[in-house]
Amino acid sequence: MADLIAEVFAARLGTGDPPGDDAAQLDAAGRLAFTTDAFVVDPIFFPGGDIGRLAICGTVNDLATAGAKPLAISAGFILEEGLPIADLERIVGSMAQTAQEAGVRVITGDTKVVPRGKADRLYICTSGVGQIAEGVTISGANARPGDVVLVSGPVGDHGLAVLSQREGFQFESDIISDCAPLAEMVQDLLAAVPGVHVLRDPTRGGLATALNEIALQSQVEIEISESMVPVQPSVAAACELLGLDPLYAANEGKMVAIVQPEESMAALAVLRAHTHGADAAVIGAVAGRSQGRVLLQTALGSHRILGRHVGEQMPRIC
Amino acid sequence: MADLIAEVFAARLGTGDPPGDDAAQLDAAGRLAFTTDAFVVDPIFFPGGDIGRLAICGTVNDLATAGAKPLAISAGFILEEGLPIADLERIVGSMAQTAQEAGVRVITGDTKVVPRGKADRLYICTSGVGQIAEGVTISGANARPGDVVLVSGPVGDHGLAVLSQREGFQFESDIISDCAPLAEMVQDLLAAVPGVHVLRDPTRGGLATALNEIALQSQVEIEISESMVPVQPSVAAACELLGLDPLYAANEGKMVAIVQPEESMAALAVLRAHTHGADAAVIGAVAGRSQGRVLLQTALGSHRILGRHVGEQMPRIC
């Protein structure tokens, strides 16, 4: 069994360098980004992706939020006894393909098997190391009054795709996860727009939560306009039906960028030039100093506070 | 709940730098080691340690097998709904203390909660980045005929400690896990003994499995002497009672070192000078080239092949 599992990984992800050792090696110089994520999404296959693609995208995108180019990824697997090898093969294959798409390799890993019932088929933990170019200082703490807020495309697709698949809703076929590695798009952005202050991928808790985190870290007030936030009609309809708010639904292939006002149009153009940012939009601005607050201008023109995500709107979405 | 969990981590492990961002940052130059491990040990508390201490030691020691000094650790937690916060606090506190012992910090992490019954209280995935000093080239592929094989202390303690605790055996109080971070001991060794060829921590599958992996990687025959391998009397007695072989039992605070023959006594002295290597011993030598085989000279003087670990002698031991 152990040999079989090892073969599944070796055939798809290759082996680290040097093969057979407990630690892989890489060369680096300067500032590195380091990040980790645990993935427990249910179900493990969903429209537009699977837990393997999700695990690679999540880690690549977390590195991208620091402006880092991914150098290497590690993957730890917790497998439930009885997981069909075909499912594992499909997931590991998906990881390999996504890693290739992101221009990175999975260079080290570990596998544990737990008894039947003790994991939902499988959990995956990925970590990533990325290189931050000289002069790049991206942080959630860097938003300044006057800055412009952009999002790289419509929000809520991932959350609704997983939820629909899990619950067997009729509209599931219309809604597809946006799960995508954004390293290349972010590198394009940084190359063209030196005045990028903040990057954040709005995953668990969605756009509203990401903006609240940034507002708090930077001690600013962010104001966004509801009508400027792109939402797919199918996602909006599903949210209405289920009483959910797309602003709090998870995304796995979107990036929030906060940039100097004079560079906002350049930033928008660069995002739109990339496949993963074709529907990018300016959605608001940093209004001023505050204790950390997000204001939403509703479609009707009124304002309301867009609070932090309270409770778990959608459990096990990633 | 999410806030409570966040507080447990922040209070004990501190926050990454910069706090609040999805990726932590570190500075590095040159060759890095990168490793990951998933921990699913059952039970999560055992004599001599717990899953938290284990997770730090496992990653620190994997970095040490590359001769690397640990720079940073990441931790991903999969928590079962209903896990007592007191247990989580104890485990995270233990991680913090072990990290301090190892001279490293946990700089980034992630937490997911799964429904009751979907994880055995908690699983932890740790990854580590370490710095390899210039000129250090340690690999399981570097064993050469004539080299001497050392182990840093008695084998089998961890495996038997966890098994005893899990099964409620009477002798459990006598057997304590050896769980310890070995980064400092390994750095001492490398500073004094330039001719270290191989380092390997004999975890799952024990000493026999580690030696088989090295023999295969280096394409050599390794011969060890049963009477020279240190085994605590309590571990030996428990193994006899349970029909287990201590050579295949897991260790979490031991290192196998394979060194040039002329430096073997110096290596032994350095290991013995360290707390974690006080009972280090020379246990054998690399006998010659082969397809990768380990020979055991038994206490009676006969020889037998010490095969690879077949099947899982002890499941969920780490």
Side-chain angles (χ1 to χ4, degrees):
Chain A
M1 183 66 183
D3 286 344
L4 184 57
I5 291 171
E7 276 164 30
V8 170
F9 291 110
R12 283 157 189 84
L13 298 173
T15 50
D17 187 24
D21 284 336
D22 285 341
Q25 297 188 16
L26 63 148
D27 288 307
R31 231 156 16 108
L32 300 180
F34 185 32
T35 184
T36 196
D37 269 308
F39 295 90
V40 300
V41 65
D42 172 30
I44 56 176
F45 298 105
F46 48 82
D50 54 58
I51 191 171
R53 181 166 175 83
L54 191 61
I56 299 293
C57 292
T59 289
V60 164
N61 295 349
D62 275 351
L63 292 176
T65 64
K69 203 177 149 181
L71 288 178
I73 286 182
S74 72
F77 294 83
I78 297 172
L79 309 178
E80 182 183 1
E81 202 188 319
L83 172 75
I85 287 291
D87 284 356
L88 184 63
E89 285 176 336
R90 188 172 153 198
I91 287 161
V92 176
S94 168
M95 291 179 82
Q97 197 203 306
T98 310
Q100 195 178 15
E101 223 178 297
V104 67
R105 276 180 65 214
V106 178
I107 66 168
T108 184
D110 185 41
T111 308
K112 294 286 155 63
V113 178
V114 294
R116 236 172 250 269
K118 289 299 178 190
D120 255 354
R121 305 173 79 183
L122 84 164
Y123 301 142
I124 303 178
C125 291
T126 41
S127 297
V129 175
Q131 180 83 56
I132 303 173
E134 229 181 289
V136 172
T137 52
I138 309 285
S139 166
N142 291 354
R144 295 179 213 160
D147 282 354
V148 170
V149 182
L150 300 96
V151 66
S152 62
V155 300
D157 300 20
H158 177 76
L160 272 291
V162 171
L163 195 68
S164 302
Q165 175 78 5
R166 190 194 303 163
E167 307 297 340
F169 294 138
Q170 295 271 323
F171 48 76
E172 68 182 64
S173 58
D174 299 332
I175 303 178
I176 291 172
S177 168
D178 58 344
C179 201
L182 304 177
E184 190 187 66
M185 184 179 78
V186 164
Q187 290 304 309
D188 288 356
L189 181 65
L190 294 176
V193 181
V196 176
H197 293 157
V198 182
L199 293 169
R200 180 69 51 106
D201 58 333
T203 55
R204 248 194 304 187
L207 178 66
T209 301
L211 292 176
N212 268 281
E213 288 169 0
I214 296 165
L216 194 67
Q217 268 184 273
S218 293
Q219 294 283 288
V220 294
E221 177 162 300
I222 295 174
E223 187 176 328
I224 64 166
S225 162
E226 192 168 24
S227 61
M228 289 160 82
V229 177
V231 182
Q232 310 250 34
S234 57
V235 169
C239 279
E240 207 170 300
L241 201 67
L242 300 170
L244 297 172
D245 186 340
L247 297 181
Y248 290 91
N251 309 278
E252 293 290 345
K254 294 293 155 16
M255 194 61 75
V256 170
I258 299 186
V259 305
Q260 287 186 10
E262 56 274 29
E263 295 185 323
S264 59
M265 288 305 106
L268 187 64
V270 174
L271 291 176
R272 286 192 172 166
H274 197 279
T275 326
H276 297 319
D279 299 313
V282 168
I283 59 169
V286 179
R289 293 272 153 212
S290 89
Q291 299 278 304
R293 196 168 76 149
V294 181
L295 272 188
L296 181 75
Q297 187 183 24
T298 68
L300 301 171
S302 64
H303 282 80
R304 67 174 171 91
I305 292 173
L306 199 60
R308 273 186 70 194
H309 181 207
V310 178
E312 190 90 61
Q313 195 192 15
M314 299 179 191
R316 302 194 56 194
I317 220 72
C318 60
Chain B
M1 183 64 183
D3 287 343
L4 185 57
I5 290 171
E7 277 164 29
V8 170
F9 292 110
R12 284 160 188 83
L13 297 173
T15 50
D17 186 26
D21 284 336
D22 285 339
Q25 297 188 15
L26 65 146
D27 288 307
R31 232 157 14 111
L32 299 180
F34 185 32
T35 183
T36 197
D37 270 307
F39 295 89
V40 299
V41 65
D42 172 29
I44 57 176
F45 298 106
F46 48 81
D50 55 58
I51 191 172
R53 181 168 175 82
L54 191 62
I56 299 293
C57 292
T59 288
V60 165
N61 295 348
D62 275 352
L63 291 175
T65 63
K69 204 179 149 177
L71 287 179
I73 286 181
S74 72
F77 294 83
I78 298 172
L79 309 178
E80 183 183 0
E81 203 188 320
L83 172 75
I85 287 292
D87 283 355
L88 184 62
E89 285 176 336
R90 189 173 152 196
I91 287 161
V92 176
S94 167
M95 290 180 82
Q97 197 203 308
T98 310
Q100 196 178 15
E101 223 178 297
V104 67
R105 277 180 63 214
V106 177
I107 66 169
T108 186
D110 186 40
T111 307
K112 293 286 156 63
V113 178
V114 294
R116 237 172 249 268
K118 289 300 179 191
D120 255 353
R121 305 172 80 183
L122 83 164
Y123 302 140
I124 303 178
C125 290
T126 41
S127 296
V129 175
Q131 180 82 57
I132 303 173
E134 229 183 288
V136 171
T137 52
I138 309 286
S139 167
N142 291 354
R144 295 179 212 157
D147 282 355
V148 170
V149 181
L150 298 97
V151 67
S152 63
V155 299
D157 300 19
H158 177 76
L160 273 291
V162 172
L163 196 68
S164 302
Q165 175 79 5
R166 190 195 303 162
E167 307 297 341
F169 295 137
Q170 294 273 323
F171 47 77
E172 66 182 65
S173 59
D174 299 332
I175 303 177
I176 292 171
S177 168
D178 58 344
C179 203
L182 303 178
E184 190 188 66
M185 184 179 76
V186 163
Q187 290 304 309
D188 289 355
L189 181 66
L190 294 176
V193 181
V196 175
H197 293 157
V198 181
L199 292 168
R200 180 69 51 104
D201 58 332
T203 54
R204 250 192 306 184
L207 178 66
T209 302
L211 292 177
N212 268 281
E213 287 168 3
I214 297 166
L216 195 66
Q217 269 185 272
S218 293
Q219 293 282 289
V220 295
E221 177 161 299
I222 294 174
E223 188 176 328
I224 64 166
S225 162
E226 192 168 24
S227 60
M228 289 161 80
V229 178
V231 182
Q232 309 250 33
S234 57
V235 170
C239 280
E240 208 170 299
L241 202 67
L242 300 170
L244 297 173
D245 187 340
L247 298 181
Y248 289 91
N251 309 278
E252 292 290 346
K254 295 293 156 13
M255 194 60 76
V256 170
I258 299 186
V259 305
Q260 287 186 12
E262 54 275 28
E263 294 185 322
S264 58
M265 288 305 107
L268 186 65
V270 174
L271 292 176
R272 287 193 171 166
H274 198 281
T275 326
H276 296 320
D279 298 312
V282 167
I283 59 169
V286 180
R289 294 271 155 214
S290 87
Q291 299 278 303
R293 196 168 78 149
V294 181
L295 271 188
L296 181 75
Q297 187 183 21
T298 68
L300 301 171
S302 64
H303 284 77
R304 67 176 172 90
I305 292 173
L306 198 61
R308 274 186 69 196
H309 183 206
V310 178
E312 189 91 63
Q313 193 192 15
M314 299 178 191
R316 303 195 54 196
I317 220 71
C318 61

